[in-house]
C-alpha cells in the first residue's frame, strides 16, 4: 500500500520532499491551534477591553458632534471631552440596554426582554462554535461552519414543512435531519482529509460555496419550496416542527437554548471523559505519536469533522425551527464565520465557547438598539469582533500592550534589564583587555589607541 501523498514511481526521498512543505505547514497550524487553546483568561478578557477601546475611537470618529467640538479643541478642550464622554456613555449604555437589561423600558417584561434576545442570538453561535472548537482541539481548522449550518438549516426546514407528523415526532425528526445534514457536509471534508491528506481549510471553504449555490438552486425548485411562487423562499415550518417557546408569546426564547446547554455538556463529556475524545485530543497534539500508540488516526480524523459538522448542522436546525421558520438564501447569514470567533474567544473549551456565544449574541442584540438610539453604525459590532479575533490570535501583542509577563512567567522588565547588563558587559570587556595589555607593556593595537 502506498502513502496517500505519494505517487507510483517516486522514490521515498522525492515523496518526502513533496510532502515536506505540507507537513510542515500542518504542523505549524496544529501548534498554533494548540497555543490558542492554552491562552489565559486574562489575555482573553483584555482582548475584549482592547476591542471596546478601538470601538470607542470609531464611535467618536463617526459622530458629528464630536467632530464639531474637535474643530476648536485648543480653544476649549473641555467641550470635546464632555461631548466624547456623553457620546460614549449613550452608545455603550444603549448596547447594554439592548443586550442585558433595559432600565428605560415601560414594563418589567420589556426590561428583561433584551437578555432573552441575547440568548436567542447566541443559540446557533454556541452550537456551531462547539463544532469549530472540537476541530481546534483536534488540530484541524474547520472553516466550513457556514456550509454545515446551511445544510443543517436546509434539511431541518424541508423536513419541517414537507412532512405531516405528530408534534413530538415531527420536531425530533427535523432536528435529527439538521444534524445529519451538517454531519454529511462536514464528513465530506473529514473523509477527504483522512483518506487523501487533503487540506481541510481548502476543502471546507470550497464546500461553503457549494452549499450556497446548492441552496440557491433548491429555492428555485417548486418541489422544495412548496409555495408555487417565484420568490426564493420556502414554505413556513409546521407548528408541529417548531421548537417550543420557553417564556410565552411575549418572548422569542425557544427550546434551542436548552439544546445549546445540553450540547455544551455533551462536548465537555466527549472531549474530557470519553475514549473518542481522548483520541481527538491526541491527534491534535501529535498525530504520529497517536498512530504509534495504536490510535486509528484516519478514523479519528474523519469523525472529528463529522461530529463538528453535526453540531453546526444542529445550530442551523435550531435557527430555522426556532427563529426563522423559513428557508431563505441568507438563512445562515454570517453565523458560520462568527462561530470561529466564538471558538477562538472561548479558547476552544466548552464552557468558554458557551460564554463567548452569549457575548457575541449580546453584541448582536445590543447593536440594533445602539444604532436606533444613537445612530452609531451597527458595523461597529463587526469591528469589535474582528479586533477580538486579532488580539486573541496574537497573545504577545496583548501582553506587550498591558506590560504583562511572558507566557513562561518571566517578566519583560527583568529580561530587558538582563539584556542591558549583558550589553554593558560586552562593551566593558575590550576596554579591560586593553588596560591589561597596556599594563603588561605590549604594543597597543589600533583599537586600543582609539580607546585611549
Amino acid at each position: 500500500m502506498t502513502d496517500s501523498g505519494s505517487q507510483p514511481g517516486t522514490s521515498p526521498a522525492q515523496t518526502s520532499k513533496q510532502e515536506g512543505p505540507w507537513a510542515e505547514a500542518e504542523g505549524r497550524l496544529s501548534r498554533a491551534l494548540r497555543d490558542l487553546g492554552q491562552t489565559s483568561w486574562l489575555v482573553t478578557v483584555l482582548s475584549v477591553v482592547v476591542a471596546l477601546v478601538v470601538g470607542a475611537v470609531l464611535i467618536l470618529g463617526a459622530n458629528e458632534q464630536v467632530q464639531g467640538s474637535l474643530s476648536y479643541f485648543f480653544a476649549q478642550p473641555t467641550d470635546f471631552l464632555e461631548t466624547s464622554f456623553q457620546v460614549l456613555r449613550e452608545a455603550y449604555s444603549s448596547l447594554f440596554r439592548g443586550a442585558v437589561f433595559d432600565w428605560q423600558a415601560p414594563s418589567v417584561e420589556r426590561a428583561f426582554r433584551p437578555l432573552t434576545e441575547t440568548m436567542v442570538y447566541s443559540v446557533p453561535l454556541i452550537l456551531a462554535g462547539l463544532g469549530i472548537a472540537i476541530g481546534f482541539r483536534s488540530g484541524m481548522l474547520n472553516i466550513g461552519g457556514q456550509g454545515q449550518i446551511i445544510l443543517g438549516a436546509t434539511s431541518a426546514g424541508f423536513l419541517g414543512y414537507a412532512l405531516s407528523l405528530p408534534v413530538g415526532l415531527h420536531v425530533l425528526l427535523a432536528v435529527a435531519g439538521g444534524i445529519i445534514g451538517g454531519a454529511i457536509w462536514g464528513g465530506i471534508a473529514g473523509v477527504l482529509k483522512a483518506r487523501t491528506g487533503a487540506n481541510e481549510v481548502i476543502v471546507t471553504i470550497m464546500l461553503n460555496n457549494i452549499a450556497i449555490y446548492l441552496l440557491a438552486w433548491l429555492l428555485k425548485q417548486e418541489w422544495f419550496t412548496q409555495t408555487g411562487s417565484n420568490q426564493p423562499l420556502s414554505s413556513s415550518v409546521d407548528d408541529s416542527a417548531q421548537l417550543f417557546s420557553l417564556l410565552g408569546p411575549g418572548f422569542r426564547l425557544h427550546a434551542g437554548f436548552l439544546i445549546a446547554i445540553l450540547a455544551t455538556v455533551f462536548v465537555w463529556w466527549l472531549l474530557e471523559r470519553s475514549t473518542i475524545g481522548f483520541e481527538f485530543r491526541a491527534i491534535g497534539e501529535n498525530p504520529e505519536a497517536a498512530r504509534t500508540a495504536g490510535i486509528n488516526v484516519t478514523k479519528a480524523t474523519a469523525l472529528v469533522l463529522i461530529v463538528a459538522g453535526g453540531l453546526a448542522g444542529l445550530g442551523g436546525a435550531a435557527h430555522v425551527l426556532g427563529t426563522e421558520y423559513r428557508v431563505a438564501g441568507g438563512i445562515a447569514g454570517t453565523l458560520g464565520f462568527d462561530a470561529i470567533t466564538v471558538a477562538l474567544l472561548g479558547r476552544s473549551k466548552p464552557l468558554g465557547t458557551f460564554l463567548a456565544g452569549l457575548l457575541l449574541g449580546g453584541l448582536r442584540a445590543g447593536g440594533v438598539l445602539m444604532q436606533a438610539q444613537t445612530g452609531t453604525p451597527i458595523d461597529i459590532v463587526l469591528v469589535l469582533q474582528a479586533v477580538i479575533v486579532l488580539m486573541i490570535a496574537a497573545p504577545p501583542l496583548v501582553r506587550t500592550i498591558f506590560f504583562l509577563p511572558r507566557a513562561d512567567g518571566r517578566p519583560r522588565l527583568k529580561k530587558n534589564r538582563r539584556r542591558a547588563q549583558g550589553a554593558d558587559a560586552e562593551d566593558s570587556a575590550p576596554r579591560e583587555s586593553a588596560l591589561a595589555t597596556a599594563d603588561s607593556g605590549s604594543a597597543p593595537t589600533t583599537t586600543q589607541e582609539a580607546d585611549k
Side-chain angles (χ1 to χ4, degrees):
M1 180 181 295
T2 60
D3 294 336
S4 59
S6 61
Q7 298 177 356
T10 59
S11 64
Q14 292 174 339
T15 302
S16 62
K17 185 180 293 185
Q18 293 172 359
E19 294 182 348
W22 283 104
E24 183 180 356
E26 290 185 353
R28 289 199 301 267
L29 176 61
S30 298
R31 289 192 297 271
L33 295 176
R34 186 167 59 250
D35 293 341
L36 288 175
Q38 296 174 353
T39 304
S40 66
W41 284 107
L42 179 60
V43 172
T44 303
V45 172
L46 292 178
S47 300
V48 177
V49 173
V50 172
L52 292 177
V53 172
V54 173
V57 174
L58 295 177
I59 291 172
L60 295 178
N63 189 272
E64 295 182 356
Q65 296 179 355
V66 175
Q67 295 175 3
S69 62
L70 186 61
S71 62
Y72 57 92
F73 173 78
F74 292 102
Q76 199 168 358
T78 56
D79 283 0
F80 170 76
L81 297 177
E82 292 176 358
T83 304
S84 299
F85 176 78
Q86 184 69 15
V87 167
L88 290 179
R89 186 180 67 83
E90 292 179 356
Y92 281 131
S93 64
S94 299
L95 184 66
F96 183 85
R97 285 170 47 215
V100 181
F101 180 78
D102 188 1
W103 57 86
Q104 297 181 4
S107 64
V108 176
E109 178 181 329
R110 293 292 300 273
F112 284 98
R113 185 173 180 178
L115 180 59
T116 64
E117 288 296 304
T118 294
M119 297 163 73
V120 170
Y121 281 112
S122 68
V123 168
L125 292 173
I126 292 171
L127 292 171
L130 290 172
I132 302 295
I134 287 178
F136 286 172
R137 294 286 295 275
S138 306
M140 282 177 270
L141 187 57
N142 177 19
I143 309 296
Q146 189 77 359
Q148 294 152 18
I149 290 175
I150 291 175
L151 263 293
T154 302
S155 303
F158 179 74
L159 294 175
Y161 59 75
L163 301 177
S164 296
L165 297 172
V167 176
L169 180 61
H170 199 178
V171 68
L172 288 176
L173 182 61
V175 170
I179 296 174
I180 294 172
I184 291 175
W185 214 245
I188 295 174
V191 171
L192 287 176
K193 179 176 178 60
R195 293 293 183 182
T196 68
N199 187 280
E200 74 276 7
V201 176
I202 299 174
V203 175
T204 50
I205 288 176
M206 295 299 102
L207 286 173
N208 286 341
N209 293 330
I210 295 173
I212 292 172
Y213 288 111
L214 176 61
L215 178 58
W217 177 80
L218 288 174
L219 290 175
K220 295 179 181 178
Q221 312 304 313
E222 186 175 349
W223 63 267
F224 179 82
T225 59
Q226 299 189 5
T227 59
S229 173
N230 293 327
Q231 297 295 328
L233 193 66
S234 74
S235 180
S236 298
V237 173
D238 294 345
D239 293 341
S240 58
Q242 295 178 10
L243 295 173
F244 61 88
S245 176
L246 294 179
L247 299 177
F251 299 88
R252 295 198 307 157
L253 185 62
H254 52 79
F257 191 75
L258 298 180
I259 295 176
I261 295 176
L262 294 176
T264 303
V265 176
F266 167 75
V267 171
W268 172 82
W269 173 84
L270 177 69
L271 291 177
E272 305 297 338
R273 293 293 184 268
S274 68
T275 303
I276 188 64
F278 172 78
E279 294 179 357
F280 287 176
R281 291 185 285 114
I283 64 174
E285 291 289 338
N286 192 327
E288 296 302 325
R291 183 178 288 107
T292 303
I295 296 176
N296 190 338
V297 176
T298 301
K299 175 184 175 182
T301 300
L303 281 177
V304 166
L305 291 178
I306 290 174
V307 174
L311 286 168
L314 178 59
H319 187 55
V320 73
L321 299 178
T323 306
E324 299 296 324
Y325 304 123
R326 288 176 179 265
V327 178
I331 186 65
T334 59
L335 291 174
F337 301 107
D338 293 340
I340 300 176
T341 305
V342 171
L344 289 173
L345 185 58
R347 303 190 310 158
S348 302
K349 304 294 178 59
L351 178 59
T353 302
F354 182 85
L355 297 177
L358 285 175
L359 175 61
L360 263 67
L363 290 177
R364 282 182 167 227
V368 177
L369 183 62
M370 183 176 66
Q371 184 180 29
Q373 294 287 333
T374 65
T376 303
I378 199 171
D379 294 337
I380 296 293
V381 174
L382 301 178
V383 175
L384 294 179
Q385 296 180 13
V387 174
I388 289 173
V389 173
L390 176 63
M391 293 294 104
I392 292 178
L397 178 60
V398 178
R399 298 181 185 277
T400 302
I401 292 174
F402 291 96
F403 301 99
L404 297 177
R406 301 192 316 174
D408 56 6
R410 289 187 295 171
R412 295 181 179 275
L413 294 178
K414 290 184 178 180
K415 177 183 176 182
N416 294 335
R417 192 176 300 141
R418 290 192 190 116
R419 286 183 177 177
Q421 293 174 354
D424 293 340
E426 292 179 357
D427 292 340
S428 61
R431 295 178 181 176
E432 294 175 356
S433 176
L435 292 175
T437 304
D439 292 339
S440 62
S442 59
T445 61
T446 306
T447 304
Q448 294 169 351
E449 292 176 354
D451 290 337
K452 289 181 179 181

